[in-house]
Amino acid sequence: MSADPKFARIAIVGLGLIGGSLGYAVKRGKLADHIVGYATSEATRRRALDLGFIDSAAASLAEAVSDADLVVLCTPVGALGDVAAAIEKHLKKGAILTDAGSVKTAVIRDVGPFVPEGVSFIPGHPIAGTEQSGPDAGFAELFDGRWCILTPVPGTDRAALTKLTAFWEACGSKVDVMEPKHHDLVLAIVSHLPHLIAYNIVGTADDLETVTESEVIKYSAGGFRDFTRLASSDPTMWRDICLNNKDAILEMLGRFSEDLSAMQRMIRWGDGEGLFALFTRTRAVRRAIIDAGQDVSAPNFGRNPGQAGPGGGRG
Ligand code: NAP
């Protein structure tokens, strides 16, 4: 039997792309009587109120969470420990505490010790996003058709997990439950490595002396510009992901380096057959992503000539 996805009062802490999109999705689905929001700066809190994805702005973390039935932490991962310490004494008994952080083992390490008796802490991660950040980046449809991974800790209350699952489904998501460590390994390959490759290739191009910057920009449609979208993602968020998913990222970077060396060797020795076989195999992966409804089949990511394409950088 599915649970009621609604909460009387929801607190959203962090009012950027994810917090904002969540506020809009909650409003669209009429999933709360009241949404209270909190962000560090007064400017962000005021902007969120003006945009209308929260009903009220709290002046402090304590005030934001004190009467909330669901608290969703949507700050950068590196801030979550301090936020948890500040709200510990103010969380309501019976409340569900969750987050949207892009890594899970480190979040459990940092937030777990501050979860009081009677509060259900269920870490989460919506696999949806863009390269934009801040309150103006949010939109109601962000989570539609995208997966949200919940990584419950031992002893998690089943009813709370069922209710949080129903909540994310009502926000448009499909929900999977996973071990935190496995989550971090999976995300290292599908999200963290692609972003790091993009940051690296754009950095390399920026350092080149034999090709001018104006040439890199002028001829970017050759493939480079697709990397620049990922490489324009929020620096704070990606610094925190690297620092907090170190082991899994280093493991995937190691494998990537080995495969890159193998490719280098194929090019050096003119192994056309090997290169052709690899490029054929990777094409099939793209096909599978489209078949699974996780991207569109339109050429060039659905861009019209001369137009910027839809977003999709995902933490
Ligand atoms: P964002 O747009 O940069 O927004 C972050 C928000 O957190 C801002 O409102 C900021 O307030 C607030 N904040 C920062 N430190 C805070 C603190 N100590 N106390 C209270 N508020 C604080 O970031 P985002 O893209 O929404 O990402 C939020 C979280 O979702 C991150 O953990 C990220 O890993 C995860 N995530 C991101 C994506 C993605 O694609 N972007 C996807 C899935 C999950 P100010 O505006 O006042 O600075």
Side-chain angles (χ1 to χ4, degrees), residues 69-150:
D69 305 285
L70 173 68
V71 176
V72 191
L73 306 180
C74 303
T75 71
V77 165
L80 286 175
D82 287 345
V83 170
I87 63 175
E88 177 185 11
K89 294 197 167 56
H90 306 279
L91 288 162
K92 183 174 156 181
K93 213 172 173 62
I96 296 176
L97 171 65
T98 188
D99 74 299
S102 304
V103 305
K104 297 276 57 91
T105 313
V107 167
I108 292 167
R109 177 199 66 202
D110 293 349
V111 175
F114 299 105
V115 180
E117 191 74 28
V119 170
S120 294
F121 172 45
I122 307 174
H125 179 200
I127 315 297
T130 74
E131 67 279 20
Q132 313 286 336
S133 53
D136 286 280
F139 55 100
E141 300 78 20
L142 179 68
F143 308 113
D144 289 351
R146 300 287 170 249
W147 287 96
C148 178
I149 300 176
L150 300 179

Side-chain angles (χ1 to χ4, degrees), residues 14-18 40-41 44 74-77 100-102 126 128-130 133-134 237 313 315:
L15 304 171
L17 168 71
I18 300 297
T40 325
S41 66
T44 296
C74 303
T75 71
V77 165
S102 304
T130 74
S133 53
M237 171 177 155

Side-chain angles (χ1 to χ4, degrees), residues 198 201-203 205-206 216-217 219-229:
I201 192 173
V202 176
D206 195 42
V216 168
I217 290 166
Y219 302 121
S220 62
F224 182 74
R225 73 177 180 192
D226 291 336
F227 287 99
T228 60
R229 186 179 62 72

